[in-house]
Amino acid sequence: MRVTFFDINGAAQHVEGRAGENAMECAKRNAIDGIIGECGGAMACATCHAYVDPRWIARLDPPEHQERDMIDGCIDVRPESRLTCQVILEDALDGIVFTVPDSQV
Amino acid sequence: MPDADLLMPDVDFAYDDVPDLHERIVQLRQNGPVVPVRYHGDRTWLILDHELVKQAFEDYDHFDPAPGYQQIAAPSMGQTIQTMSGDEHRISRGLVTAPFLPSKIRSLVEDLIEPIANELLDRVAGKEVVDLVSTFTRPYPFMVITRLLGIPVEDEERMLEWAIKMIDFPWDPDGAVRAKEQFQAYMQTIIDDRRANPTGDFMSMLVQAEYEGERLSDERILGFVGLLFPAGSDTTYKNAGSLFACVLADPALRERALRSPRDRELIVTESLRWQPPTAFLPRMASNDVELGNVQIRKGEWTLFGITAANADPKVYPDPHRFDPDRDNRDILTFGRSKHFCLGMHLARRELETALRLVFERFPHMVLEKGEPVEFVGAVLRGPRALHVRPYGQREDQN
């Protein structure tokens, strides 16, 4: 399945995602700059924040409150902000598009 | 347990300075990914492999940190997010997380962190030779915490004495418990004040925090603020020393440290990989487990070899080279998973700010010749001292 990560300047990287992995793992495996995920996906570090393309938002379950609280403390938050570690890739998300924020910190 | 198979039996990693820790790790690794060493006199499993340390951090079935910390930390520190697991941990952590998230910490740089760094660097100014550890790196993160907590400047000194004593429990149990009582009696007055008159500061955030209908009791706040000193001060100061030891020794790094915030992030992260302040982290096995071909029994102590994992050549090629441009996203310096260091963003901003201000104010600072830097400690590790000339060598000044 295809996953696209834009950087903040609009440059795209198209990578191959694996069903079942989360988008943070996918980004790190493909060396996407700016997604750190230092805690490994436990919603404990707030360093895998990204913006989900608005066209894809409706296909995701909304964030649960722990993720919501972490997002509230991130930098440059937008309505489409998510922690990528909480977005599990599946066939229905083939083609999903993220934009990586300018900085996690 | 038999000691016959102990590796490096002459070294006790709890007590000895182990200045050659990195070289010893290279030797130990030849014996396997998990090896028996001496710690507090006892045979203890040291985990060296990056994948296995990561796995152990993430494995709450066999390495739940709570039972171990109940033994070594709770008596002097009380119940804290370190000694809790499951829902209790999740809710307690949820109650204290907000002040440590990136946007909040970013706002502290200008308001709190920079002024403290500058105040301390004023004490470096005008000196010919100075120990950067005792003058700057050691008091710096400590003062960030005391001022975050609203402790008056004149009380910082005794706060420091209590904070140092409280984590001394494995070495001096009575002294540690006494220090905790004194510290808590002092902090109770600040808690009472903020409950009556919240000001919006850090302590007010704690007394007003609510998460899933729960609030923090005085006991929990006292436990948490007590934990801030060992978790946030003793660690950060060790790393600040290691960071400056490295950058001062390399003119290219020093030049890069002044280039951009991104460059400082990369340099700080590489220093955190190369010389983690918590070199070996003690954790007790909470259940029988096989790890790296050895059997570890429930209740046995292990050491999560963070320094070893961060230097695992399978993950970090040429690991002893200081290279800010390597992929450091999976360093284990701040742990991993649900107990991941809450203060990571604060620590990084303190280190990045220190790096910028030291070299902005003292661009010619050099290590004093004839005073080699010695890194000591295998639990908490950093340079014993850093003798520097803030204005460079005398001949440079002429």
Side-chain angles (χ1 to χ4, degrees), chain A residues 28 32 38-39 45 65 73, chain B residues 103 212 329-330 337 345 348:
Chain A
K28 286 172 80 165
I32 300 295
E38 200 168 335
C39 77
C45 69
H65 81 96
Chain B
S103 61
E212 296 186 10
R329 287 182 282 195
D330 280 321
S337 197
H345 291 287
R348 285 175 179 273

Side-chain angles (χ1 to χ4, degrees), chain B residues 21-22 239 242 270-277 307 375 381-382:
Chain B
L21 180 69
H22 288 268
N239 185 260
S242 300
E270 175 67 348
S271 79
L272 288 161
R273 178 196 69 84
W274 165 71
Q275 196 75 280
T307 298
F375 296 94
R381 185 168 181 82

Side-chain angles (χ1 to χ4, degrees), chain B residues 70-215:
Chain B
Q70 284 294 343
Q71 284 185 21
I72 61 167
S76 64
M77 305 295 299
Q79 296 301 324
T80 68
I81 48 174
Q82 210 178 30
T83 64
M84 297 172 191
S85 57
D87 274 349
E88 188 185 31
H89 171 262
R90 186 178 56 78
I91 292 167
S92 294
R93 184 163 168 132
L95 281 162
V96 296
T97 293
F100 293 93
L101 290 175
S103 61
K104 187 73 196 168
I105 296 298
R106 189 187 265 197
S107 74
L108 292 181
V109 171
E110 208 176 316
D111 297 345
L112 181 83
I113 299 173
E114 279 184 12
I116 292 170
N118 272 319
E119 187 181 322
L120 288 167
L121 290 175
D122 288 345
R123 301 179 199 172
V124 172
K127 299 274 190 344
E128 194 178 348
V129 180
V130 67
D131 173 17
L132 200 62
V133 172
S134 57
T135 314
F136 177 62
T137 58
R138 187 160 189 252
Y140 170 55
F142 175 80
M143 282 165 67
V144 169
I145 295 172
T146 58
R147 296 202 188 165
L148 203 56
L149 292 175
I151 293 164
V153 174
E154 62 268 23
D155 291 335
E156 280 174 1
E157 199 59 39
R158 56 176 163 158
M159 196 56 59
L160 180 60
E161 284 170 29
W162 293 335
I164 290 171
K165 204 59 195 162
M166 277 159 63
I167 55 160
D168 213 20
F169 185 76
W171 293 267
D172 176 13
D174 293 344
V177 170
R178 205 163 44 242
K180 174 189 136 188
E181 287 164 0
Q182 292 170 311
F183 170 76
Q184 294 197 339
Y186 181 95
M187 290 310 301
Q188 185 66 51
T189 59
I190 298 181
I191 295 172
D192 292 344
D193 178 68
R194 297 305 191 280
R195 285 210 190 275
N197 311 294
T199 61
D201 70 351
F202 180 84
M203 188 62 93
S204 303
M205 284 178 83
L206 293 182
V207 301
Q208 292 179 308
E210 199 176 329
Y211 193 83
E212 296 186 10
E214 304 248 357
R215 307 188 70 134

